[in-house]
Amino acid sequence: MERITWDQFFMAQSHLLALRSTCTRLAVGATIVREKRIIAGGYNGSISGDEHCIEQGCYVVDNHCVRTVHAETNALLQCAKYGTPANGADLYVTHFPCLPCTKTIIQAGIKNVYYAKDYKNNPYAMELFAKAGVNVAHIPFDEAKIDFLQDDKLQLTLDMLEKLRTFGASPEELAPLEEKVDKLFGQLLKV
């Protein structure tokens, strides 16, 4: 197994945090890092003690769920709660920050924002980051890097394709399935 970079490591942490999200519309995770050490993490979800979207559904106002606190804000609030300065730190987040989170990130003194996926990237957010001197970088993340069963899943898929061949599936019928396997796993091992 290849060793992942620091950026991929912290982005993987953000993706793991996103698995704790209680939002049914978009699961987001954020990790705050200083000198290659994780100082805080957050995911989008309801405030402590309130109903969660996964239990009650989203509370949507103006096409935005107002029930949740965003991952970036939760991570910054964790810093505040435990007295850990965020000033000068880096933020790794699964999706491009929304405009309100952008303002919070800038006010907290975050110097670098690394995000894995574009999501309604607001041009004004980019303008604010630039004015504040915050470096923003897209760090593509391969979620398969944290799927420790990927090899088993690939083998099962290839076994099923082979079984379909034995049952008489034509190359034309198998071609779209093989393309999907290739997209999912990045490689199609011919059996």
Side-chain angles (χ1 to χ4, degrees):
M1 174 166 44
E2 75 179 76
R3 187 176 190 204
I4 61 175
T5 67
W6 282 112
D7 284 340
Q8 292 294 304
F9 175 78
F10 297 127
M11 199 58 80
Q13 177 68 33
S14 294
H15 280 79
L16 288 171
L17 282 163
L19 295 174
R20 290 280 307 150
S21 172
T22 60
C23 179
T24 58
R25 294 167 51 122
L26 181 69
V28 179
T31 305
I32 300 175
V33 175
R34 179 189 311 289
E35 297 173 7
K36 296 191 177 19
R37 298 292 174 256
I38 296 169
I39 60 173
Y43 52 87
N44 57 330
S46 301
I47 63 168
S48 298
D50 195 16
E51 294 89 13
H52 295 285
C53 296
I54 56 174
E55 300 163 348
Q56 300 292 321
C58 290
Y59 184 6
V60 179
V61 176
D62 295 330
N63 201 31
H64 188 77
C65 181
V66 296
R67 187 185 307 279
T68 61
V69 178
H70 289 191
E72 304 93 322
T73 299
N74 265 330
L76 289 166
L77 288 170
Q78 189 179 59
C79 285
K81 187 174 184 176
Y82 296 105
T84 306
N87 190 41
D90 300 331
L91 174 76
Y92 289 82
V93 62
T94 56
H95 296 78
F96 188 85
C98 69
L99 187 55
C101 283
T102 295
K103 294 173 187 178
T104 303
I105 291 164
I106 291 168
Q107 288 299 95
I110 296 292
K111 288 298 171 201
N112 296 293
V113 174
Y114 304 104
Y115 69 97
K117 295 176 186 165
D118 290 313
Y119 182 72
K120 299 179 182 180
N121 300 27
N122 187 304
Y124 186 51
M126 286 302 292
E127 183 182 328
L128 289 175
F129 279 137
K131 282 181 182 177
V134 176
N135 175 53
V136 178
H138 179 237
I139 306 286
F141 182 72
D142 178 6
E143 293 180 37
K145 291 201 179 289
I146 57 173
D147 181 357
F148 301 111
L149 297 175
Q150 182 183 16
D151 292 342
D152 294 336
K153 291 175 184 177
L154 174 60
Q155 190 57 55
L156 174 64
T157 304
L158 294 174
D159 291 346
M160 288 191 296
L161 285 172
E162 184 56 32
K163 192 63 119 175
L164 287 170
R165 272 188 203 84
T166 21
F167 286 144
S170 70
E172 295 78 23
E173 292 171 314
L174 291 174
L177 298 173
E178 291 172 335
E179 285 178 29
K180 286 181 183 178
V181 170
D182 194 39
K183 283 181 184 176
L184 278 173
F185 296 102
Q187 62 179 327
L188 178 58
L189 303 174
K190 298 291 181 189
V191 276

